[in-house]
Amino acid sequence: MGRMASSRRDLAVRATVDQGLLSPAEPVVALLDTAGIRASAAALTSAFAAVTDAPVLHAFAVKATPLVPVLRLLHEAGLGVEVASPGELALARAAGIPPARTVLDSPAKTPAELRQALALGIAVNADNLQELARLDALVAAAPTASPLGLRVNPQVGAGSIGALSTATATSKFGVAIRDEGARKAVVRAFLERPWLTRLHTHTGSQGVPLALMAEGVGETYALAEEINREAGGQQIDTVDIGGGLPVNFASDEETPTYAEYARLLAATVPGLLDGRYGLVTEFGRSLLAKHGTVLARVEYTKTSGGRPIAVTHAGVQLATRTVYAPGSWPLRVLAYDAEGRPRTGDLTVQDVAGPACFAGDLLATGRELPLLRPGDVVAVPDTGAYYFAHHYAYNSLPRPAIHGFTVDGDGAVSFTAVRGAQTLDEIVAEAGGARPDALVRQLSGAFR
Ligand SMILES: *Cc1c(COP(=O)(O)O)cnc(C)c1O
């Protein structure tokens, strides 16, 4: 890679303006740093290879960045995918991900979804005992190549963001194994089903400390050992440890690292890594977040109650979590001038607002930045996961174009389109534009 991610980003911002990808007519775009994504995939693979010889499938959680070219890039880098809906499975198939590299989780799989997954041979983790009963019928009806598992909730507690903590006492996910009678019921469910060969857990996302993640994995490993003892053999051959590595949104530093987490697992759950179990991981945010940047032009600047405000084209439609829950999801904002050069100058406390029509549409409040001017560019880094690929259609604002970029040794930047900007025709079509009379006709019918 050579260059640091921050210097690649500076070159890309300048080139985005130079090459006309960001302009008064197209005032917001998103960028993906292809080299950065490759580097994260390689770091993940080597981190686990350093602590275990067991086979490991690193299944990227598609929900983090549901973009077909991203899935294909990760597949080429040796990763698989974790999908949790028919839409995500369709994206994985469009990217050419083989069924053997695909894992289906989801707390609400329909019979049709389960049937399709089993017909394709995709690994399935059942969420609960009712779902196992559905699988009984499907497994009896037709042979399947799908490895089948059960998700458990080790109930080890919450991280700092409640909405993303999946291993609380009352989480909606998996079988809560500390509930009365639940552990016994899970062991029995396995003993009754020789085809059930995996355990799955996912302790949570952003905000869950590494030690708590490792504790959840440790509890799940202990249960696997117990089931195998009871079964008198290695019935459980694979443990899916989920994803959830937190991301540092405060600077360009990538911390914690996959290597730290892998070493922590090796120290705290050595038996899981000694080669008796295959592993599946399901990281999402930590693979993509640092490699995405939103760029938006400043349209106007003003002061209100003495506070300078820059009104930009990036707001709630791209940074939904940050706008609605700024305390949990702060994002950095970087200032560039109209040519895309880093803006220098005295730091001034200001608000950075989005384009949407509600007062809370702020990317940053009271942030110290060089004073922004109309035509300047703001960059919002760390938005490669759960941000610009998760468009929120407020005010019918269009989904922006997404460009992948690479930087060569001379600093020249090349772009490739990952997704085009949504057009006004598409917005109208998705809003029932082909049926303007649908409701009017219904009313006149009622009064006929
Ligand atoms: C969301 C999710 C993941 C990915 O979590 P990240 O925090 O993005 O790594 C993995 N597995 C399951 C089951 C999930 O729900």
Side-chain angles (χ1 to χ4, degrees):
M1 281 212 296
R3 261 171 236 281
M4 304 267 292
S6 56
S7 99
R8 292 200 302 273
R9 181 175 59 228
D10 282 350
L11 291 163
V13 174
R14 186 79 205 272
T16 305
V17 176
D18 273 357
Q19 299 183 28
L21 299 177
L22 184 72
S23 65
E26 198 172 343
V28 57
V29 297
L31 304 181
L32 282 170
D33 178 352
T34 306
I37 298 171
R38 283 185 196 280
S40 285
L44 171 58
T45 306
S46 61
F48 278 78
V51 297
T52 183
D53 295 327
V56 187
L57 172 64
H58 294 293
F60 173 64
V62 170
K63 79 168 182 274
T65 310
L67 296 168
V68 172
V70 167
L71 306 185
R72 174 66 70 89
L73 176 66
L74 292 173
H75 171 60
E76 302 264 302
L79 274 57
V81 293
E82 184 260 358
V83 299
S85 71
E88 289 180 359
L89 177 55
L91 299 183
R93 298 185 77 191
I97 316 297
R101 313 285 295 166
T102 304
V103 178
L104 173 65
D105 299 331
S106 148
K109 305 176 204 81
T110 63
E113 276 180 86
L114 289 171
R115 206 172 302 117
Q116 182 195 21
L118 266 56
L120 290 168
I122 288 170
V124 175
N125 290 312
D127 178 78
N128 55 65
L129 301 178
Q130 289 177 358
E131 194 177 336
L132 282 186
R134 283 189 180 175
L135 287 176
D136 283 339
L138 292 170
V139 168
T144 177
S146 293
L148 300 171
L150 178 67
R151 178 166 181 172
V152 293
N153 171 8
Q155 292 170 293
V156 291
S160 64
I161 305 177
L164 272 69
S165 296
T166 45
T168 59
T170 56
S171 162
K172 76 169 182 178
F173 292 105
V175 180
I177 54 172
R178 291 186 187 176
D179 283 11
E180 202 181 332
R183 196 179 180 97
K184 271 213 178 80
V186 167
V187 174
R188 198 175 335 112
F190 274 84
L191 297 181
E192 287 167 3
R193 295 175 178 81
W195 44 264
L196 197 56
T197 57
R198 293 184 168 192
L199 270 180
H200 173 220
T201 193
H202 171 65
T203 298
S205 297
Q206 192 65 20
V208 175
L210 293 193
L212 190 64
M213 291 169 63
E215 195 183 327
V217 172
E219 293 289 328
T220 307
Y221 164 73
L223 179 59
E225 291 280 274
E226 179 180 334
I227 291 167
N228 284 343
R229 260 195 319 274
E230 296 282 333
Q234 180 103 18
Q235 177 171 346
I236 295 185
D237 58 20
T238 301
V239 179
D240 181 335
I241 64 170
L245 194 81
V247 164
N248 168 29
F249 286 95
S251 77
D252 282 319
E253 206 189 326
E254 295 197 27
T255 173
T257 62
Y258 291 120
E260 282 170 63
Y261 182 45
R263 284 195 298 265
L264 180 63
L265 290 177
T268 55
V269 204
L272 180 63
L273 303 177
D274 68 12
R276 290 174 298 138
Y277 291 93
L279 292 174
V280 177
T281 73
E282 304 174 340
F283 295 101
R285 180 179 288 105
S286 53
L287 279 163
L288 258 294
K290 298 305 268 184
H291 312 307
T293 303
V294 171
L295 302 185
R297 281 171 51 93
V298 176
E299 195 66 51
Y300 299 108
T301 58
K302 57 170 71 168
T303 60
S304 182
R307 169 78 58 87
I309 303 172
V311 179
T312 79
H313 286 276
V316 74
Q317 85 276 32
L318 304 173
T320 314
R321 286 184 166 171
T322 296
V323 168
Y324 286 124
S328 295
W329 298 101
L331 284 169
R332 291 181 288 156
V333 177
L334 310 173
Y336 296 83
D337 67 17
E339 272 77 57
R341 288 175 301 227
R343 186 168 265 312
T344 50
D346 292 344
L347 297 180
T348 306
V349 173
Q350 54 199 303
D351 288 357
V352 182
C357 295
F358 73 101
D361 187 27
L362 298 165
L363 279 180
T365 311
R367 193 67 63 85
E368 283 199 326
L369 289 170
L371 190 63
L372 289 162
R373 300 178 198 164
D376 278 1
V377 176
V378 292
V380 191
D382 309 329
T383 48
Y386 303 98
Y387 278 104
F388 55 69
H390 292 64
H391 192 80
Y392 172 47
Y394 198 88
N395 274 147
S396 301
L397 290 163
R399 287 188 286 267
I402 300 174
H403 305 280
F405 73 87
T406 53
V407 182
D408 74 13
D410 300 328
V413 180
S414 3
F415 292 102
T416 177
V418 169
R419 179 184 81 189
Q422 191 181 27
T423 65
L424 294 182
D425 285 347
E426 285 165 352
I427 290 177
V428 173
E430 287 173 29
R435 306 178 184 87
D437 289 335
L439 299 174
V440 175
R441 265 196 258 111
Q442 196 171 35
L443 248 192
S444 56
F447 285 102
R448 202 161 37 214

